[in-house]
């Protein structure tokens, strides 16, 4: 298929969607299926018909039987594509084909005999062309920054039958124009259609793909890198596969996380237009970045405990659990300072996302004189269960996680009130941590991470499925 600027942009954007260093394992993968490619075709064809109708065909001049002739102001008055297809060429690229197209041209003609008395004449003509066929091969790649690129590597065009209806002039010119000029018109039309399509894809298509975000800022000085880690793959099962980094970074200190993505499973479903895969690697790198940034340092205060909860953040509530605490600091408010000591690790199964966050809980007592003293420090391995989902905001789709349950494994690290049995604290600390930490975690995870798209491309009816080490979104898409 062939395009001018806007058509090329739409085709390139929809195919790449979408939308670095080679040999890096991907944490994020997309697949555009044959159904998706067919949708691209339905979007592109009306645009192609309009845009090809506007191509410019150079003047045609020649000499036959001592008569010089010129065909000028050649322009397309109609163009229609009744049949088209688009398909993956495994290992090569995407092949777009249109066939049986018809085209109408209008032009001015002029002739002048080379011998005296140099008779000349002029008029107009209408050209009807049928059986136009064009095959275009497009490949996608990536630049040094991981942006997708597009290249029209090959184009062939054929012209079927042609008829010319002359207006004005001498009757003997009919045969002249029909035999001599018809071939020139065919060659010029084929050349201009291919040239316009390739130029539009190579220039305008790449400009459009530049708008596909490969770095997404999620705030807090944190960003996600969606750069391509290799050229797209053209698979035998008729889907276009793109492989992306899928990693969290600190904007001011972008270091690689010490993890390796697991391999994604081989696709088996192709009934939706597109499939988007997110590895647990993305969550692991998020935990690594949040641990480095200090974001996971959090303090639970008495004001955060709901009034209907019997356990309050006051030493009075712990009198029967840790008597030494109440004895040392009777009836005083407590803060729980929760800090991570190592990055969170995540695990994804068919039904659940689980995470483990190593950390500490510092029990801080607020004394009447305003000073804060540390009563004791607990080592805590915080286990979190979460579910995954999607939501759409401003036509952008986000993948989110919502923590639903948590519990902690505790041990006493240090104490200023003497030793005591940590097991008796489990119920109280778990209850308070659930009330305070789950909302804190969800404040970061529920908003979700953005699936990168370009303006005008929206995902339709996305459904989410989890599996060992991954989350997969099956979706259709729309361009407007």
């Amino acid at each position: 298929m062939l395009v001018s600027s806007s058509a090329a942009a739409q085709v390139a954007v929809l195919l790449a969607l979408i939308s670095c260093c080679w040999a890096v394992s991907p944490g994020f993968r997309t697949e555009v299926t044959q159904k998706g490619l067919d949708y691209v075709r339905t979007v592109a064809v009306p645009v192609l018909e309009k845009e090809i109708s506007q191509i410019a065909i150079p003047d045609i001049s020649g000499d036959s039987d001592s008569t010089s002739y010129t065909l000028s102001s050649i322009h397309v008055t109609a163009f229609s594509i009744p049949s088209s297809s688009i398909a993956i060429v495994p290992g090569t690229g995407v092949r777009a084909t249109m066939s049986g197209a018809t085209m109408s041209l209008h032009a001015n003609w002029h002739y002048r005999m080379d011998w005296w008395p140099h008779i000349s004449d002029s008029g107009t003509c209408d050209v009807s062309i049928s059986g136009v066929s064009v095959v275009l091969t497009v490949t996608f790649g990536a630049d040094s920054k991981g942006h997708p690129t597009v290249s029209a590597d090959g184009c062939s065009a054929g012209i079927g039958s042609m008829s010319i209806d002359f207006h004005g002039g001498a009757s003997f010119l009919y045969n002249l124009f029909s035999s001599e000029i018809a071939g020139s018109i065919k060659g010029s039309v084929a050349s201009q259609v291919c040239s316009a399509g390739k130029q539009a894809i190579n220039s305008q298509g790449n400009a459009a793909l530049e708008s596909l975000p490969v770095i997404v800022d999620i705030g807090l000085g944190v960003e996600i890198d969606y750069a391509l880690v290799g050229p797209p793959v053209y698979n035998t099962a008729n889907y276009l596969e793109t492989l992306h980094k899928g990693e969290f970074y600190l904007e001011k200190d972008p270091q690689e996380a010490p993890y390796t993505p697991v391999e994604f499973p081989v696709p088996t479903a192709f009934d939706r237009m597109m499939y988007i895969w997110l590895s647990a690697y993305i969550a692991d790198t998020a935990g690594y970045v949040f641990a480095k940034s200090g974001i996971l340092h959090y303090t639970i205060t008495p004001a955060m405990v709901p009034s209907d909860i019997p356990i309050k953040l006051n030493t009075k509530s712990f009198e029967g659990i840790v008597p030494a605490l109440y004895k040392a600091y009777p009836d005083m408010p407590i803060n729980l300072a929760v800090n991570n000591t190592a990055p969170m690790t995540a695990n994804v199964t068919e039904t659940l996302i689980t995470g483990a966050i190593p950390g500490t809980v510092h029990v801080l007592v607020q004394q009447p004189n305003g000073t804060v003293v540390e009563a004791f420090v607990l080592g805590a391995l915080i286990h979190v269960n979460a579910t995954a989902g999607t939501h759409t905001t401003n036509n952008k789709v986000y993948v989110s996680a919502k923590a639903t349950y948590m519990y902690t494994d505790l041990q006493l690290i240090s104490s200023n009130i003497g030793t005591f049995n940590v097991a008796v604290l489990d119920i109280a600390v778990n209850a308070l941590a659930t009330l305070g930490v789950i909302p804190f975690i969800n404040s970061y995870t529920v908003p979700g991470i953005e699936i990168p798209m370009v303006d005008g491309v929206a995902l339709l009816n996305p459904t989410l499925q989890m599996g060992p080490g991954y989350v997969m979104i099956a979706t259709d898409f729309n361009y407007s």
Side-chain angles (χ1 to χ4, degrees):
M1 277 184 189
L2 302 168
V3 287
S4 64
S5 59
S6 62
Q10 291 179 22
V11 174
V13 164
L14 286 170
L15 287 177
L17 284 180
I18 338 240
S19 35
C20 84
C21 302
W22 299 156
V24 176
S25 299
F28 181 89
R29 180 178 78 181
T30 72
E31 299 149 20
V32 181
T33 66
Q34 184 61 50
K35 182 179 180 181
L37 294 175
D38 287 338
Y39 174 76
V40 172
R41 177 181 54 81
T42 65
V43 171
V45 164
V47 179
L48 295 174
E49 290 176 331
K50 177 180 178 181
E51 298 294 340
I52 293 179
S53 295
Q54 299 173 0
I55 63 173
I57 299 175
D59 293 352
I60 297 173
S61 298
D63 190 273
S64 178
D65 294 331
S66 299
T67 301
S68 300
Y69 60 86
T70 300
L71 205 64
S72 61
S73 301
I74 309 170
H75 60 278
V76 180
T77 58
F79 183 70
S80 176
I81 306 172
S83 177
S84 60
S85 64
I86 188 169
I88 294 292
V89 181
T92 300
V94 176
R95 181 175 59 215
T97 303
M98 67 179 183
S99 58
T102 58
M103 178 181 286
S104 298
L105 306 175
H106 183 79
N108 299 325
W109 61 263
H110 174 269
Y111 82 90
R112 182 179 184 274
M113 290 184 175
D114 297 339
W115 64 86
W116 189 86
H118 303 295
I119 298 172
S120 64
D121 204 350
S122 61
T124 63
C125 66
D126 294 298
V127 182
S128 296
I129 304 173
S130 60
V132 178
S133 62
V134 181
V135 178
L136 183 69
T137 300
V138 178
T139 59
F140 294 89
D143 63 19
S144 60
K145 295 182 179 180
H147 275 99
T149 61
V150 62
S151 175
D153 294 333
C155 177
S156 62
I159 307 297
S161 61
M162 176 184 296
S163 63
I164 305 175
D165 184 14
F166 292 94
H167 311 288
S171 61
F172 79 91
L173 291 175
Y174 282 68
N175 290 332
L176 170 67
F177 277 78
S178 295
S179 61
E180 298 289 339
I181 294 182
S184 298
I185 293 176
K186 287 183 179 182
S188 184
V189 168
S191 175
Q192 290 302 311
V193 168
C194 271
S195 177
K198 292 175 66 175
Q199 173 63 23
I201 288 177
N202 292 337
S203 60
Q204 301 298 327
N206 279 304
L209 289 179
E210 277 290 326
S211 68
L212 182 68
V214 297
I215 301 295
V216 176
D217 186 351
I218 65 169
L220 304 171
V222 176
E223 59 191 17
I224 308 175
D225 186 352
Y226 286 114
L228 285 166
V229 298
V233 180
Y234 312 99
N235 289 278
T236 56
N238 277 352
Y239 65 90
L240 172 66
E241 180 181 66
T242 65
L243 308 174
H244 307 254
K245 195 166 185 61
E247 181 170 352
F248 277 71
Y249 287 104
L250 282 175
E251 292 178 5
K252 294 183 177 180
D253 187 22
Q255 297 182 13
E256 294 287 333
Y259 309 115
T260 301
V262 299
E263 289 189 11
F264 288 109
V266 176
T268 56
F270 305 100
D271 57 326
R272 304 295 300 273
M273 294 182 183
M274 186 179 185
Y275 294 84
I276 302 168
W277 302 74
L278 298 91
S279 169
Y281 171 80
I282 297 179
D284 286 338
T285 64
Y288 179 77
V289 166
F290 290 152
K292 286 184 60 179
S293 69
I295 292 173
L296 298 182
H297 294 184
Y298 183 66
T299 299
I300 305 173
T301 66
M304 296 178 179
V305 180
S307 58
D308 58 343
I309 300 300
I311 300 175
K312 307 299 181 183
L313 276 181
N314 188 290
T315 57
K316 180 67 175 177
S317 290
F318 291 84
E319 182 178 9
I321 302 173
V322 186
L325 176 63
Y326 181 76
K327 182 177 180 181
Y329 307 105
D331 201 17
M332 297 182 192
I334 298 171
N335 288 343
L336 301 180
V338 182
N339 303 322
N340 68 289
T341 56
M344 176 196 74
T345 56
N347 181 51
V348 183
T349 69
E350 288 83 354
T351 58
L352 196 65
I353 299 174
T354 60
I357 309 172
T360 58
V361 179
H362 296 250
V363 178
L364 307 175
V365 179
Q366 302 177 40
Q367 298 187 101
N369 62 6
T371 61
V372 176
V373 296
E374 184 177 270
F376 55 89
V377 180
L378 299 172
L381 182 60
I382 303 172
H383 302 271
V384 181
N385 292 351
T387 58
T390 63
H391 65 272
T392 302
T393 303
N394 296 326
N395 290 325
K396 294 181 179 180
V397 171
Y398 295 80
V399 179
S400 62
K402 183 177 182 180
T404 57
Y405 173 74
M406 68 172 292
Y407 66 95
T408 58
D409 294 327
L410 302 175
Q411 61 177 339
L412 184 63
I413 294 178
S414 65
S415 174
N416 293 319
I417 60 171
T419 60
F420 56 89
N421 184 4
V422 175
V424 298
L425 276 174
D426 276 342
I427 295 177
V429 171
N430 278 318
L432 292 170
T434 297
L435 291 171
V437 177
I438 282 185
F440 171 72
I441 292 174
N442 285 339
S443 69
Y444 291 102
T445 61
V446 168
I449 60 174
E450 178 186 343
I451 301 299
M453 291 288 145
V454 298
D455 291 340
V457 176
L459 301 184
L460 301 178
N461 304 316
T463 60
L464 185 142
Q465 175 184 327
M466 296 192 298
Y470 68 86
V471 171
M472 186 267 286
I473 300 170
T475 184
D476 295 327
F477 52 83
N478 179 65
Y479 183 86
S480 60

